[in-house]
Amino acid sequence: MLVTLAANVLLWPVHQAFMPVFAEVLGLDAAGLGWLLTCGGLGGLACSLVIAMLGDFKFKGGLFVIGTAYWGALWSLFALSRTVPLSFALMACIGLMSASFGVLQTTLLLMTTEPEVRGRALGLQELAIGVVPFASLGLGAAAQAVGVGATAFLSGILLVAVLLTLAVRLPQLLSYSGVNVPGRAGAGRTALRHRRT
């Protein structure tokens, strides 16, 4: 839930509000902006399909944490880029890593939550996602003060810092697989909960 909140405060507003400014900095017109966004979409689609084909794979938690950290780092690199081909390539990679966050945030939430409280957990997740408009106001004010590039760069770095802190404080999440073992339904969830306490 903390990762979902951090990502929606720090990065989704950048993607939703700042892309026209990045396109202008790169000298792209409306069609160029469209192609830039298409690169991100294609990367996200490709990663989503790969995750779907993997099925019940191991180390879901590791992919979630590491993939989201790379997502933040790639946004920081994109904010520094002034070369069109490099920006297109970075946006495709951003799409790849965003899928590891987008797909696994709900998967892991459901796998590590008891059935009787899953509805409430999903409601809290939607509340965390709903902060984007308010976060956009804050990042917009920061961008007006220090620039769009600097704001996006710092947002990406802050998300990486959040993920590194989480990895240190909750290392069992990195190895969490949640793989169903016959006769041991919920064993992975129970193990993660016990380690957390």
Side-chain angles (χ1 to χ4, degrees):
M1 197 72 70
L2 176 62
V3 177
T4 296
L5 180 63
N8 283 282
V9 167
L10 295 171
L11 282 193
W12 280 119
V14 172
H15 185 268
Q16 293 183 356
F18 291 176
M19 291 306 296
V21 180
F22 284 123
E24 184 178 352
V25 169
L26 292 168
L28 300 174
D29 56 11
L33 172 60
W35 281 110
L36 194 62
L37 295 173
T38 297
C39 286
L42 290 175
L45 176 62
C47 187
S48 297
L49 291 174
V50 169
I51 292 174
M53 288 188 295
L54 288 175
D56 195 8
F57 62 95
K58 293 184 178 181
F59 305 114
K60 298 178 184 70
L63 178 59
F64 177 63
V65 173
I66 295 170
T68 305
Y70 272 112
W71 183 41
L74 286 165
W75 266 114
S76 293
L77 292 175
F78 179 83
L80 298 175
S81 174
R82 296 295 181 268
T83 305
V84 173
L86 177 60
S87 296
F88 275 72
L90 286 170
M91 185 53 61
C93 294
I94 285 170
L96 283 169
M97 294 298 98
S98 71
S100 65
F101 163 76
V103 172
L104 290 173
Q105 64 172 340
T106 303
T107 300
L108 292 175
L109 181 68
L110 292 175
M111 292 182 72
T112 57
T113 305
E114 296 297 339
E116 59 270 18
V117 296
R118 284 177 181 165
R120 278 175 278 179
L122 288 173
L124 287 173
Q125 183 189 58
E126 289 304 312
L127 186 63
I129 293 171
V131 303
V132 171
F134 302 102
S136 297
L137 289 174
L139 289 183
Q144 189 171 12
V146 301
V148 168
T151 301
F153 176 80
L154 291 174
S155 292
I157 293 298
L158 284 173
L159 184 63
V160 172
V162 170
L163 270 297
L164 290 177
T165 302
L166 180 65
V168 171
R169 296 293 301 274
L170 197 64
Q172 60 269 30
L173 180 58
L174 294 174
S175 60
Y176 180 73
S177 298
V179 178
N180 292 324
V181 179
R184 294 179 61 192
R189 180 176 65 245
T190 302
L192 179 61
R193 188 170 60 254
H194 285 171
R195 290 183 191 133
R196 217 168 30 222
T197 57

